[in-house]
Amino acid sequence: MSSYNDSMNLIKAFHQKHSSKLNECAQISERLTDVCSKLARSWSGSFAGWHGNMYYGNFEIPSIRQRFSGEWGGIHGIPSGWEERQPEEVSAKIEELMGDGFSIDQLEADIKKLRQDVEALQREVVISYSSFSFNADMIKERELLDKVENYSFGETKNEFICARLPKSLMSRDSEALRQGICTPAWLYYDGIALEGISLCKAIKDLFILIDRLSRQLENKVKVKKQDNLTKFGINLNADIYAKCHDLYEKGAYAEAVEKSFKVVRDRLRKLTGHETGSEAFGKGKLHIKGAAATNVDKDFNNAVKFLTMAIDQFRNEKSHTSDAKIDDPIRAYEYLRLSSLAMNLLEHAAIIS
């Protein structure tokens, strides 16, 4: 089964392309939220209109006596040391405190690109399992795949910001109230940082989820294969079992099937001197006993002849290409059953004089 191999290859490719950026984004976002928290301490503390743009001094922490009053606002004049700061000034201060050539715009672009790429990965992983048949004992695995398909990559910037905005405003400053709720610049940039942290964690958690799905399916497929091997010894012709069991158990399905076809041809050669079904029943005068009645003996022998001829054709079809297209244990077992039936019927062979 290639579905779990495909999904793990997709994750491996994503890791190779984004691993360093993923770690860098997580670390930078952590630092950014610390810086934003520091700037928040120099902020007015009020979301009412113009209050939301007020910061103390050069983004310094005011003393208790210097704190801004959201209740009174500018009714008694703007308190000393408080200045209105535009978002550009706040972002410039953040980039200064972050250092190392940090750019908020670049971080926001990186987060957006990571989200787009991991959502594309999510779709491809789900598609890779679309042809997989989940049977009755794979309910939990089916549920895991549903989780992967409906997986949410953490909270967005807007969700973080909205969760921290007040539902209503209280102030004696009617002008500020008239302006409505103001989202302070530090909170906007903190929202970017928190989205980065949330996204990076969600991506890593998705990888764990997909790995769990892949491992559980792989183990169940192995158990299913082992069940087929158990049936092997019970249901297959002894010669087919002896010659093909090891190959099948190792997962060499194409080789096991090819070997089973050769076993049938060897038996025909031993019986008639001819290894193809058409020549064995023609020139070799091969006859199979076991028809249900005398009047259908010809039909029965024609059926066995065409069975061996079908095996000839399957062998030709699969031996003339490097890819026999047998990677499914169930399909391989069906071919082996075909050869097994032929061998069982040939045990009742006779040569017509």
Side-chain angles (χ1 to χ4, degrees), residues 77-353:
I78 297 175
S80 176
W82 287 91
E83 296 183 28
E84 182 178 10
R85 298 284 189 174
Q86 297 302 314
E88 294 78 12
E89 295 177 87
V90 177
S91 66
K93 185 63 178 180
I94 288 174
E95 290 175 351
E96 175 191 329
L97 293 173
M98 289 287 290
D100 299 326
F102 170 75
S103 165
I104 290 179
D105 291 340
Q106 184 60 55
L107 175 62
E108 193 167 17
D110 289 343
I111 292 172
K112 182 179 180 181
K113 182 68 166 57
L114 268 177
R115 184 178 292 277
Q116 290 173 342
D117 288 352
V118 77
E119 286 175 349
L121 170 69
Q122 177 188 30
R123 291 191 294 271
E124 289 301 317
V125 168
V126 172
I127 290 172
S128 73
Y129 282 101
S130 61
S131 61
F132 184 79
S133 179
F134 289 85
N135 55 38
D137 67 339
M138 295 180 177
I139 295 175
K140 290 184 178 179
E141 288 69 33
R142 176 71 255 186
E143 291 174 350
L144 284 176
L145 181 59
D146 289 341
K147 287 183 179 180
V148 172
E149 185 171 7
N150 299 306
Y151 192 82
S152 176
F153 293 97
E155 294 185 73
T156 64
K157 166 189 66 185
N158 291 336
E159 289 172 330
F160 277 115
I161 293 172
C162 288
R164 297 167 75 176
L165 290 176
K167 299 296 186 290
S168 60
L169 296 173
M170 294 183 64
S171 177
R172 298 176 187 270
D173 189 338
S174 58
E175 175 60 22
L177 288 178
R178 186 185 64 80
Q179 294 174 3
I181 294 176
C182 170
T183 301
W186 73 264
L187 179 57
Y188 178 87
Y189 300 128
D190 195 32
I192 295 174
L194 292 171
E195 178 177 359
I197 294 169
S198 179
L199 175 63
C200 292
K201 181 181 184 302
I203 291 174
K204 293 177 181 178
D205 288 345
L206 175 67
F207 291 165
I208 293 173
L209 183 62
I210 295 174
D211 181 65
R212 178 184 170 189
L213 169 63
S214 300
R215 288 174 180 272
Q216 288 186 199
L217 280 177
E218 186 175 14
N219 288 336
K220 289 204 170 180
V221 168
K222 285 180 180 178
V223 170
K224 186 176 181 181
K225 187 190 299 183
Q226 190 60 45
D227 289 343
N228 289 335
L229 290 174
T230 301
K231 296 176 184 176
F232 223 93
I234 299 174
N235 297 329
L236 290 182
N237 172 271
D239 288 335
I240 296 295
Y241 177 84
K243 298 292 179 60
C244 306
H245 176 267
D246 287 342
L247 290 170
Y248 187 92
E249 187 173 4
K250 293 174 182 176
Y253 303 125
E255 290 82 355
V257 171
E258 172 72 12
K259 176 69 75 173
S260 77
F261 294 159
K262 290 180 178 178
V263 172
V264 175
R265 289 167 69 91
D266 288 345
R267 177 58 61 87
L268 289 173
R269 186 188 305 110
K270 183 177 181 180
L271 290 169
T272 68
H274 303 282
E275 63 179 20
T276 66
S278 58
E279 290 187 340
F281 280 87
K283 297 177 183 179
K285 304 295 184 180
L286 185 63
H287 181 267
I288 305 300
K289 301 175 184 179
T294 304
N295 63 312
V296 292
D297 182 75
K298 182 178 180 181
D299 292 335
F300 177 70
N301 273 269
N302 279 335
V304 180
K305 177 177 74 172
F306 289 130
L307 172 61
T308 59
M309 291 173 64
I311 289 174
D312 289 337
Q313 295 300 313
F314 278 130
R315 178 184 178 277
N316 289 339
E317 178 256 334
K318 300 192 182 306
S319 63
H320 285 86
T321 175
S322 60
D323 181 10
K325 295 186 177 179
I326 305 177
D327 56 5
D328 176 38
I330 304 301
R331 176 55 59 86
Y333 186 75
E334 289 170 343
Y335 278 121
L336 295 175
R337 290 290 299 152
L338 191 69
S339 297
S340 178
L341 174 60
M343 289 294 290
N344 288 336
L345 291 169
L346 289 175
E347 289 180 0
H348 306 287
I351 304 299
I352 301 175
S353 59

Side-chain angles (χ1 to χ4, degrees), residues 42-44 54-56 62 66-68 78-83:
S42 70
W43 170 62
S44 68
M54 302 299 290
Y55 294 83
Y56 185 74
Q66 295 168 327
R67 287 180 181 174
F68 188 90
I78 297 175
S80 176
W82 287 91
E83 296 183 28

